[in-house]
Amino acid sequence: MVNRAVLTHRLFTGISRHHLACLAEELAVPWQAGLEGRRHAVRGGVRKRAAGAGARHQLMFVDRLVATLIHLRHDLPHSVLSLLFGVDRSTITRAIAEIRTLLAERGCALPDRPGLRLRTLTDVFAYAQSEGVELRLDATEIQVRRPQANRGGRRAFVSGKKKQNTMKATVIADWRGRTLWTDALRPGRMHDATAARNEGIAICFQHFPDVEVLLDDGYPGLSRVHRGQAITPPRKQRPGALPGRVEQWERDRHGHSSDRITVEHALADHKRWKQRTRWTRRRDRLPDTYRAIAGLVSDRTHNN
């Protein structure tokens, strides 16, 4: 069994020890409440023993948190983590399932507002309008396992861009590349604009008319419907256009790309976590995993 203090190093968990301590303090109470709730459901009533009686946990809460962070950061198998922590593999599996759900429910850190977090698209738009923040939105795809043969909806995951089985994540960042929100993920075949509409972005544009969102070429429909709010790059000049207009188009397009590049930086921060590169497990667990990673990344960058 490896020294557990060593496993809390930033090289293993991806976060500093100070961040780990704050995270443990934040999640300890929800984890204990969920544990007592599950025990209450199994017993069918209140506990009959005094508090503290019964068997002790082989893996304490902080160790469960550290094991989950190592799994997210480096994608180590559960069997390897069980060897490192000196417990059974099933204990690691249950611990990761519990902590991953808690991390996914945290949302993303609000810049310069400790203790406040953004969990829905409405929260992001309300924050952007109140603070005058210009948002950046983009979609990214994660390769997933191909569904089994003879199952309905198998083609829904085939991406027209990557020609692979993927799931699509929509991410919003601010002008400094800080992650503000990510959606629940959609099948890779879905268009980027359709995924954003399904999350309710059209309603948010109506209720928050002062919010501007920078988009790429994949969202022309949103730009036509919500002019002045959904901002896409300028349309390419037709063949034979005057040289001056072509040069102006190139300058405008370059300026738009420079302003929008921060969301690409946010996506690059997500890709530093090994589980973000390629998903080889059950697809229904990917949304919680991605939201957990996005929340951890936003914690590290919200004070930058």
Side-chain angles (χ1 to χ4, degrees):
M1 186 174 62
V2 179
N3 185 352
R4 299 189 180 185
V6 175
L7 296 178
T8 61
H9 194 275
R10 186 169 191 159
L11 292 176
F12 294 99
T13 61
I15 61 177
S16 65
R17 284 195 170 102
H18 174 71
H19 185 184
L20 177 62
C22 295
L23 200 60
E25 183 180 1
E26 176 186 349
L27 298 181
V29 174
W31 176 78
Q32 187 64 35
L35 178 64
E36 294 299 332
R38 290 189 295 272
R39 288 175 174 175
H40 186 278
V42 171
R43 290 191 302 261
V46 298
R47 64 182 304 155
K48 300 179 181 179
R49 282 182 170 183
R56 300 293 188 270
H57 286 292
Q58 290 183 311
L59 200 64
M60 303 304 293
F61 169 72
V62 175
D63 293 332
R64 292 169 182 259
L65 177 59
V66 171
T68 304
L69 293 175
I70 296 175
H71 181 61
L72 294 175
R73 181 68 174 180
H74 299 287
D75 199 20
L76 288 184
H78 294 184
S79 57
V80 176
L81 290 171
S82 67
L83 181 64
L84 292 176
F85 286 89
V87 296
D88 189 74
R89 181 184 182 279
S90 61
T91 303
I92 293 292
T93 301
R94 288 194 300 270
I96 291 176
E98 295 171 0
I99 303 300
R100 179 175 53 205
T101 302
L102 294 177
L103 291 173
E105 293 173 349
R106 296 173 65 236
C108 295
L110 191 63
D112 307 320
R113 301 288 181 85
L116 298 179
R117 307 189 72 86
L118 303 173
R119 293 180 172 85
T120 66
L121 189 60
T122 304
D123 293 343
V124 177
F125 271 71
Y127 160 72
Q129 178 154 303
S130 63
E131 300 293 332
V133 176
E134 188 179 50
L135 303 176
R136 279 82 170 154
L137 182 146
D138 199 5
T140 183
E141 298 186 49
I142 305 101
Q143 185 178 355
V144 296
R145 296 172 61 182
R146 187 179 185 185
Q148 295 183 2
N150 303 321
R151 284 197 174 185
R154 196 180 188 199
R155 295 181 57 192
F157 294 93
V158 180
S159 169
K161 180 191 302 182
K162 291 185 174 293
K163 310 301 181 185
Q164 295 174 338
N165 290 270
T166 65
M167 291 188 70
K168 189 186 300 292
T170 303
V171 176
I172 291 181
D174 64 1
W175 63 280
R176 298 183 68 176
R178 297 173 292 199
T179 302
L180 299 180
W181 174 82
T182 183
D183 68 347
L185 276 73
R186 306 285 178 174
R189 194 176 187 86
M190 183 177 295
H191 194 276
D192 295 356
T194 303
R197 290 192 183 96
N198 288 346
E199 292 296 331
I201 193 170
I203 298 177
C204 290
F205 276 131
Q206 295 175 4
H207 286 82
F208 302 97
D210 298 331
V211 176
E212 296 181 355
V213 182
L214 299 184
L215 307 166
D216 61 12
D217 288 329
Y219 302 87
L222 288 176
S223 178
R224 288 193 297 267
V225 177
H226 306 283
R227 294 187 181 277
Q229 289 185 274
I231 304 173
T232 55
R235 298 286 298 275
K236 185 176 181 179
Q237 295 294 317
R238 294 182 178 181
L242 296 175
R245 299 189 63 178
V246 174
E247 292 176 0
Q248 182 63 40
W249 168 77
E250 291 178 349
R251 286 193 296 268
D252 293 343
R253 188 176 183 85
H254 183 269
H256 182 276
S257 179
S258 298
D259 292 338
R260 201 191 63 84
I261 197 64
T262 55
V263 69
E264 303 289 352
H265 297 162
L267 295 177
D269 287 337
H270 301 172
K271 293 177 182 178
R272 292 191 177 97
W273 294 70
K274 188 66 178 293
Q275 287 205 346
R276 166 61 183 79
T277 57
R278 187 174 185 270
W279 185 253
T280 58
R281 296 168 180 80
R282 293 176 52 177
R283 291 181 301 278
D284 57 354
R285 296 176 182 172
L286 179 57
D288 278 352
T289 300
Y290 195 95
R291 287 198 295 265
I293 292 174
L296 292 170
V297 171
S298 71
D299 288 341
R300 297 192 314 172
T301 60
H302 80 282
N303 286 324
N304 294 342

